Amino acid sequence: MLYDLNIAWSPTTPASELERTLKFAKNLGYDVVALNQTITGNIPTQPHPISNPIPQLTSPHPSFPGGSGSTSATSTTTARTTTTTTNLSTTASSAVPPTSTSSLPTVLRRVTLTVTDPSTTNYRLADYARSYDLLALRPTNDKAFSWACLSTTEPPAIISLDLTQFLGFHIHHRTAMAAVHRGTRFEICYSQTFTSGNSVDAQRARSNFIGNVLGLLRATKGRGIIVSSEAKSALGLRGPADVVNLLAVWGLGPEKGTEALGTGPRAVVVNEGVKRRGFRGVVDIVQTAPGGKVRSEEEGGKEGETKLSKKQKKLQQKQQQGQKQGQQQGQGQGQKRKNWEGGGGGTDGGGQQKKQAK
């Protein structure tokens, strides 16, 4: 399966344009996509909890609560979490009619927070994580980047940098790999280079993008990288083969480029689904194998009693064998004593007879 976890969305996106973009992504071979809402500026403190304006166009991903992969055993436990973690509102102006959703890929809902001051963002990350399927951070300075990689309460799913801008800081290997070990992935959005025109700003943006991509690949050594489009329309999408070739030009090998479109983003989706479906994001109930037998407490108690009775029988048998051996040993010692006494008396009588004969 191929993933594109960043298709730009805003409340003003027309429904026809959104439908055209999603259908074109499906035709290119992308099975799972994510509509991304980017929030810039100060993080709002109200309302609480945060509402999700992105429409739920398709059924949830199997990894998330309410998806087709949910088991009957967990239906009762996930019913409460579904209402809090997945907003099924379709009141946005860009909602696609239900009749056309059959030709769409599986759609996730993502939010990207632009972070400048970490102190005003950290306490709202949990609220955004509950309201959206995926949470991404876009740091704009060195302090925010180090905080996103190392110091967040819960590691973000994705760190997405605006690679067309001059970052103003170096991406260090230790910082980047610490984020990768925490489960965070770095995102490269290839449509950022498709700026129209040959103006100075467009050329500078493309130059910054290539330099920042090389720096990111050098710091991570190609590990923990996912590739998305961040396409604002169908014109910003490219086929998987074209994306892999483009990444090879920028320094990412074909094998890692293929992983960045499939295995890497799949791991992000599955991990985020387990966080929302499992107990405290760690323990999850897996469907039992077909034909398996679930033993009740009564059967377990009966088995315990039978085990105890077997042990008691073995102990009784050992005790009886010990008693028999003790009796046999006592009888043998008594017989030896009788024989010895009889033999001693015969010698004494023989001695007296010899004396009388003399």
Side-chain angles (χ1 to χ4, degrees):
M1 295 180 67
L2 299 178
Y3 292 74
D4 186 354
L5 299 183
N6 192 347
I7 292 180
W9 179 91
S10 66
T12 59
T13 303
S16 58
E17 183 67 24
L18 179 62
E19 182 181 1
R20 186 181 303 109
T21 304
L22 294 177
K23 286 184 176 181
F24 188 62
K26 180 68 173 179
N27 293 333
L28 290 176
Y30 295 102
D31 302 296
V32 180
V33 300
L35 298 180
N36 179 33
Q37 181 187 12
T38 302
I39 299 177
T40 59
N42 295 328
I43 303 300
T45 58
Q46 297 294 336
H48 184 83
I50 296 171
S51 61
N52 186 348
I54 302 178
Q56 182 71 53
L57 303 179
T58 60
S59 60
H61 191 271
S63 299
F64 286 83
S68 59
S70 300
T71 60
S72 58
T74 59
S75 60
T76 56
T77 58
T78 57
R80 295 188 300 271
T81 59
T82 303
T83 57
T84 57
T85 59
T86 306
N87 183 10
L88 299 179
S89 174
T90 56
T91 58
S93 59
S94 59
V96 177
T99 56
S100 60
T101 58
S102 58
S103 59
L104 301 180
T106 302
V107 179
L108 302 175
R109 298 182 295 175
R110 162 184 163 177
V111 61
T112 301
L113 303 179
T114 303
V115 182
T116 303
D117 185 7
S119 61
T120 61
T121 309
N122 191 20
Y123 72 101
R124 297 308 304 269
L125 291 182
D127 297 333
Y128 279 101
R130 283 191 293 267
S131 300
Y132 292 83
D133 297 329
L134 301 175
L135 173 65
L137 298 180
R138 176 162 286 181
T140 58
N141 51 44
D142 191 9
K143 180 181 178 182
F145 180 77
S146 299
W147 169 79
C149 293
L150 305 174
S151 304
T152 54
T153 306
E154 291 291 337
I158 301 170
I159 293 179
S160 178
L161 298 171
D162 188 359
L163 301 177
T164 59
Q165 302 296 325
F166 179 71
L167 296 179
F169 60 90
H170 293 286
I171 303 175
H172 298 286
H173 172 72
R174 290 185 178 180
T175 305
M177 293 311 300
V180 173
H181 292 321
R182 295 180 70 197
T184 304
R185 297 294 181 265
F186 291 95
E187 183 181 47
I188 297 176
C189 300
Y190 59 84
S191 68
Q192 293 177 354
T193 60
F194 302 154
T195 53
S196 59
N198 293 323
S199 61
V200 177
D201 294 338
Q203 294 177 1
R204 186 175 301 167
R206 286 192 286 267
S207 177
N208 290 336
F209 181 87
I210 295 174
N212 292 329
V213 167
L214 293 177
L216 181 61
L217 295 178
R218 173 191 54 78
T220 60
K221 297 182 180 180
R223 290 176 290 181
I225 298 294
I226 64 173
V227 179
S228 304
S229 64
E230 199 176 4
K232 298 179 180 179
S233 64
L235 297 176
L237 295 172
R238 294 294 184 273
D242 296 335
V243 175
V244 172
N245 292 334
L246 193 61
L247 292 173
V249 173
W250 293 335
L252 190 65
E255 294 181 357
K256 292 185 177 180
T258 304
E259 292 179 359
L261 290 173
T263 307
R266 180 186 178 277
V268 172
V269 173
V270 172
N271 290 339
E272 293 300 309
V274 170
K275 288 181 181 179
R276 289 156 176 77
R277 188 183 69 238
F279 175 71
R280 294 184 179 180
V282 178
V283 181
D284 190 18
I285 299 175
V286 184
Q287 186 178 4
T288 57
K293 181 180 179 182
V294 180
R295 295 182 297 179
S296 62
E297 295 181 357
E298 296 180 357
E299 293 178 353
K302 291 179 180 178
E303 289 185 357
E305 292 177 357
T306 54
K307 289 181 180 179
L308 290 174
S309 61
K310 288 181 180 179
K311 290 182 179 180
Q312 291 176 357
K313 288 180 179 179
K314 288 182 179 180
L315 290 174
Q316 291 178 358
Q317 290 177 359
K318 288 183 179 179
Q319 290 176 358
Q320 292 176 358
Q321 290 177 358
Q323 291 176 358
K324 289 180 180 179
Q325 290 178 358
Q327 292 176 359
Q328 291 176 358
Q329 290 177 358
Q331 291 177 358
Q333 290 177 358
Q335 188 67 28
K336 288 180 180 179
R337 186 177 299 170
K338 289 179 180 180
N339 294 334
W340 180 79
E341 290 176 353
T347 56
D348 292 342
Q352 291 177 0
Q353 291 177 0
K354 287 180 181 181
K355 288 179 180 180
Q356 291 176 1
K358 290 180 180 181

